[in-house]
Amino acid sequence: MTPRERRLREQAQRHRLILTTAREMAESEGWDYVTTRRLADRIEYSQPVLYQHFKNKDAIVHAVALEGFAELAAALRTAREEAGDPQEALGAVARAYADFAEHGPVLYEAMLTLDPGEGTGEDTTGAAGTPAPLADVLAEIRRAVEPVAAGRDGGLLAEVLWSAWHGLAALTRAGRLRPDPARRRLAALTDALLGPAAQPV
């Protein structure tokens, strides 16, 4: 291994450690607790070393959010591919989204509530400036919607469903909705948007 390769590997390891530690701190204390000073103390790096990787806390949150979108896209893809038919696939994707938001609330908060959208210096954007991992999430929702869209705009329906799923997740987490009928809400939402009564005349 050349000295340059060793430096690059060490940089990648530090980068990974910063993000992993930030997520762990947020899981235990919340994102308000995560500061660059506390993070530097926890990983036993100086703040200047940390700033070599991320210019501020917002950049760290953004990097964590990108990881979250990649993980969510993978979960949705697995749910869709393991389903038996298109209608079942859409329901499975809806449940996978809700489960992700419920079981990873701190990560989900970074993704869709706190993320300031600041770049990390990497080329992570797709079409129209959408971060590539988020574009992958939307693409997975669209792949689940299009087979049952009956000729309607699958991209538009995917955006509407994503908006509704996020709203349900946020309201449930805030205690504004009862947690028990969560799956029935998802099914009712799908029926309302894609069921026979919603088909164009």
Side-chain angles (χ1 to χ4, degrees), residues 10 17 20 38 41 45 52 58 73 87 95 98-99 107 116 134 151 166 171-172 183:
E10 291 171 352
L17 178 61
T20 299
R38 287 178 177 143
D41 289 344
Y45 291 157
Q52 291 175 9
D58 284 348
Q87 195 72 36
R95 290 190 296 275
D99 289 346
L107 178 57
L134 173 54
H166 173 58
L171 288 170
T172 300
R183 294 199 171 217

Side-chain angles (χ1 to χ4, degrees), residues 72 76 86-87 89-98 101 108 112 134 137-149 152-170 183-195 198:
L72 176 56
L76 300 185
Q87 195 72 36
L90 181 57
V93 168
R95 290 190 296 275
Y97 188 99
Y108 190 77
L112 291 166
L134 173 54
V137 169
L138 292 171
E140 285 302 323
I141 297 172
R142 182 169 184 164
R143 291 186 187 105
V145 167
E146 286 182 333
V148 294
R152 288 173 293 166
D153 185 338
L156 178 64
L157 288 173
E159 290 174 350
V160 171
L161 276 174
W162 176 44
S163 301
W165 293 345
H166 173 58
L168 288 175
R183 294 199 171 217
R184 286 191 287 124
R185 286 194 195 96
L186 291 172
L189 175 62
T190 300
D191 288 344
L193 286 177
L194 301 173

Side-chain angles (χ1 to χ4, degrees), residues 55-76:
K55 64 181 180 180
N56 53 32
K57 174 184 172 178
D58 284 348
I60 295 171
V61 173
H62 180 73
V64 168
L66 292 179
E67 288 189 340
F69 284 124
E71 292 170 19
L72 176 56
L76 300 185

